[in-house]
Amino acid sequence: MGPTRKPNVCRRLSRRALGFFARDAGVVQRTNLGILRELVCQESTKFKNVWTTHSKSPIAYERGRIYFDNYRCCVSSVASEPKKLYEMPKCSKSEKIEDALLWECPVGEVLPDPSDYKSSLIALTAHNWLLRISATTGKILEKIYLASYCKFRYLSWDTPQEVIAVKSAQNKSSAVARQAGIQQPILLYLAVFQVLPFSLVGVLEINKRIFGNVTDATLSHGILIVMYSSGLVRLYSFQAITEQFMQQKLDLGCACRWGGTTGTVGEAPFGIPCNIKITDSPPLLFEVSSLENAFQIGGHPWHYIITPNKKKQKGVFHICALKDNSLAKNGIQEMECCSLESDWIYFHPDASGRIIHVGPNQIKVLKLNEIENNSSQHQISEDFVILANRENKNENLVTVTASGRVVKKSFNLLDDDPEQETFKIVDYEDELDLLSVVAVTQIDAEGKAHLDFHCNEYGTLLKSIPLVESWDVTYSHEVYFDRDLVLHIEQKPNRVFSCYVYQMVCDPAEEEEILNKSC
């Protein structure tokens, strides 16, 4: 026992030492990010378009890396001009990467392999392989064969950077089966893994015989979320399901006998059997009915946001306490905007418990507070509001009748009329603690957009950056603000994708002055 205990003690000491270094590094990083924030918001700082490219396949961006050709080619956007990091060998359509997540090494963790300390791309291929790929070289570090009994298609974080869920495409009954009244009982499968080192939690089937006429299911923060066409949303504990219904514990790389066949778990052609089969209704944690299954949880203490399950209630949001379903005071939020596109609402990603409500011409940041002298009930109040830069929307339309009589008609423009500045994207840059807002105005046939940085605490406008490229509101757009980088991805008709990269350019004298102040 003596020889085996020493490495464990060393491991604990190493972890503790790393913890001290991590804390010191955290102080330095916060200081550096404070300097960067000041530089970004400096009046003289510009953002220059340094690179533009086009592609016939989707373009993805994640933490300073731009991915092309179904993640086969990776370009670093960190350098003064983007440069290619790697390009993986060409592959057949059946082997292409369909979805991917970026995994980054946690600070202070002791990992089994030196390569584990570098970022990895966790990728799902069209032929059901789960890969771990070096984010800097494109080398495949690990590969797991999932299964042949379904088509896995989607990757998501159950617990960010710790647990992933791999979701299959939904099973569809054939036309012949439907005519014969035969229903496909299994809707989809969820394969769940702990990340680095990869270990299998289990593969779960979503069966209509157990859950009823379910239309979709997903996993988030250890909660199985099941959705129905009626708008009903039900929540279950995934851990409780695993403990109650796991048929056999499976370990990657180990021999297994299943259904009369023997093979190695995670290797082709055996793959990973579905080892979590629910045979009875699991304990229900929570259920609610909402229009289009729209349901969010957040806030301090826990609250949820829904839209009442009636079409005429679209655009009306109810904020309720999770513990007893009670509506918060002022908990019904409605923009009352007249627009082609709906407003949207969500819990602020900065973990402040606030709520962001975005309409075409205003952004409301709402607070959730205890009611004075009543700690059991909460109320919603405005923290701050960001308004679009607009002229008076009431205008007169002058027409002349056949007899020459002049008639004036008063009318209201739509709130998202393209000739008025309209908010299109709202995001949060967590490291610089800034809200980034894309506003667009259609000028004649051309749309012009600018990216604004607002103080996350007070909503004050700190910086505005014009985007040089035209913005067509009928196209799909994504904009990323990542430290000193702005990236715009646009999807045009006929699957033409464009990528525009902007980088920060500072006045050297002012940059030196800010650095001297911080020393």
Side-chain angles (χ1 to χ4, degrees):
M1 290 298 291
T4 60
R5 289 174 62 186
K6 190 173 180 181
N8 291 335
V9 172
C10 291
R11 185 185 178 101
R12 283 198 300 272
L13 289 173
S14 300
R15 189 183 297 264
R16 189 179 301 166
L18 282 167
F20 285 122
F21 291 131
R23 284 194 294 275
D24 293 341
V27 172
V28 173
Q29 186 183 37
R30 283 193 297 274
T31 303
N32 291 341
L33 291 173
I35 295 169
L36 181 58
R37 175 185 160 121
E38 194 167 342
L39 286 170
V40 163
C41 298
Q42 194 79 11
E43 186 178 350
S44 61
T45 298
K46 308 294 181 187
F47 277 77
K48 181 183 177 184
N49 179 216
V50 296
W51 198 63
T52 298
T53 190
H54 309 282
S55 171
K56 279 288 186 182
S57 63
I59 302 171
Y61 173 78
E62 189 73 48
R63 291 289 181 184
R65 297 176 179 87
I66 311 169
Y67 295 96
F68 299 89
D69 195 13
N70 300 106
Y71 296 92
R72 193 176 65 85
C73 178
C74 178
V75 171
S76 170
S77 60
V78 176
S80 56
E81 183 174 316
K83 63 178 182 179
K84 186 186 293 184
L85 278 179
Y86 63 81
E87 186 170 350
M88 299 171 71
K90 289 188 176 182
C91 60
S92 65
K93 190 175 179 181
S94 65
E95 297 174 306
K96 69 171 184 164
I97 295 173
E98 291 208 331
D99 203 357
L101 297 169
L102 184 67
W103 180 88
E104 295 181 305
C105 171
V107 176
E109 289 290 320
V110 176
L111 301 172
D113 193 276
S115 66
D116 297 342
Y117 290 96
K118 295 183 179 179
S119 300
S120 303
L121 193 70
I122 300 171
L124 174 65
T125 70
H127 60 332
N128 275 6
W129 283 88
L130 189 64
L131 310 177
R132 186 166 72 89
I133 301 167
S134 167
T136 52
T137 66
K139 179 184 176 182
I140 296 175
L141 305 174
E142 286 184 78
K143 54 191 301 187
I144 299 166
Y145 181 64
L146 295 172
S148 59
Y149 50 79
C150 70
K151 171 73 174 72
F152 284 99
R153 183 166 287 172
Y154 312 103
L155 281 178
S156 64
W157 289 111
D158 170 31
T159 304
Q161 300 295 315
E162 293 180 17
V163 181
I164 60 167
V166 192
K167 186 163 89 169
S168 76
Q170 293 190 8
N171 288 321
K172 303 291 184 183
S173 299
S174 66
V176 175
R178 286 196 299 270
Q179 287 175 357
I182 302 170
Q183 293 245 339
Q184 167 60 258
I186 299 172
L187 178 71
L188 56 84
Y189 294 87
L190 289 165
V192 184
F193 297 87
Q194 292 274 355
V195 181
L196 215 65
F198 265 124
S199 62
L200 175 69
V201 178
V203 180
L204 167 70
E205 68 174 23
I206 302 299
N207 196 315
K208 291 182 179 180
R209 289 175 183 160
I210 300 299
F211 290 104
N213 194 25
V214 59
T215 55
D216 201 4
T218 189
L219 200 62
S220 178
H221 293 82
I223 302 294
L224 176 66
I225 304 169
V226 179
M227 289 155 273
Y228 297 81
S229 57
S230 63
L232 188 66
V233 180
R234 286 178 171 161
L235 274 57
Y236 302 88
S237 165
F238 179 65
Q239 182 178 348
I241 288 172
T242 302
E243 292 171 355
Q244 185 176 352
F245 298 106
M246 182 176 287
Q247 296 182 333
Q248 182 181 332
K249 181 80 171 72
L250 302 176
D251 294 311
L252 296 173
C254 293
C256 169
R257 182 167 181 80
W258 191 277
T261 305
T262 302
T264 302
V265 178
E267 292 187 6
F270 188 77
I272 305 173
C274 177
N275 63 334
I276 306 174
K277 295 189 178 182
I278 302 174
T279 55
D280 196 8
S281 296
L284 180 66
L285 292 180
F286 180 81
E287 73 174 13
V288 70
S289 184
S290 182
L291 187 66
E292 299 174 350
N293 302 115
F295 170 72
Q296 302 175 60
I297 296 180
H300 306 302
W302 295 113
H303 278 66
Y304 64 87
I305 304 173
I306 61 164
T307 294
N309 197 11
K310 294 178 182 176
K311 285 187 178 180
K312 65 180 181 180
Q313 293 286 300
K314 188 165 187 176
V316 178
F317 302 101
H318 287 205
I319 303 165
C320 306
L322 188 64
K323 64 176 182 178
D324 58 8
N325 299 317
S326 61
L327 183 70
K329 186 178 179 181
N330 302 325
I332 299 177
Q333 292 293 315
E334 185 177 8
M335 281 276 185
E336 296 182 351
C337 51
C338 180
S339 58
L340 296 176
E341 295 186 15
S342 300
D343 51 324
W344 69 97
I345 194 169
Y346 57 99
F347 286 100
H348 199 311
D350 69 351
S352 64
R354 294 181 297 174
I355 295 166
I356 298 178
H357 189 182
V358 185
N361 61 348
Q362 61 179 315
I363 301 165
K364 289 184 179 181
V365 176
L366 308 171
K367 289 190 296 186
L368 186 65
N369 294 325
E370 287 183 0
I371 293 178
E372 193 174 351
N373 301 323
N374 186 359
S375 60
S376 63
Q377 193 178 6
H378 289 72
Q379 63 182 357
I380 303 297
S381 60
E382 283 185 5
D383 197 10
F384 59 81
V385 179
I386 299 170
L387 296 174
N389 184 18
R390 293 189 167 192
E391 298 172 2
N392 191 338
K393 65 179 180 180
N394 292 322
E395 296 189 3
N396 291 320
L397 179 65
V398 178
T399 58
V400 181
T401 66
S403 63
R405 187 166 58 93
V406 176
V407 179
K408 291 185 177 182
K409 292 183 179 179
S410 179
F411 75 103
N412 290 333
L413 291 172
L414 289 173
D415 287 319
D416 58 352
D417 185 278
E419 294 184 3
Q420 298 274 14
E421 183 176 272
T422 303
F423 295 131
K424 293 294 182 183
I425 298 173
V426 178
D427 206 353
Y428 173 60
E429 215 297 342
D430 58 337
E431 292 180 303
L432 301 187
D433 196 30
L434 293 172
L435 281 176
S436 62
V437 177
V438 176
V440 180
T441 308
Q442 190 86 20
I443 303 170
D444 296 325
E446 189 177 79
K448 298 303 293 181
H450 56 90
L451 177 65
D452 295 340
F453 301 150
H454 291 263
C455 170
N456 182 47
E457 188 175 359
Y458 302 110
T460 313
L461 177 63
L462 302 174
K463 183 82 176 174
S464 187
I465 300 168
L467 302 181
V468 296
E469 65 276 8
S470 175
W471 184 294
D472 191 319
V473 294
T474 64
Y475 298 166
S476 174
H477 299 266
E478 296 172 72
V479 174
Y480 300 91
F481 168 45
D482 191 356
R483 294 193 179 191
D484 57 350
L485 171 86
V486 172
L487 186 134
H488 174 203
I489 298 173
E490 174 185 47
Q491 181 179 353
K492 299 175 181 177
N494 302 318
R495 288 183 65 80
V496 174
F497 298 85
S498 299
C499 178
Y500 311 91
V501 178
Y502 293 76
Q503 288 188 343
M504 183 178 76
V505 179
C506 292
D507 181 286
E510 291 190 354
E511 183 178 357
E512 186 176 354
E513 183 181 344
I514 291 172
L515 290 171
N516 288 336
K517 282 181 183 177
S518 65
C519 294

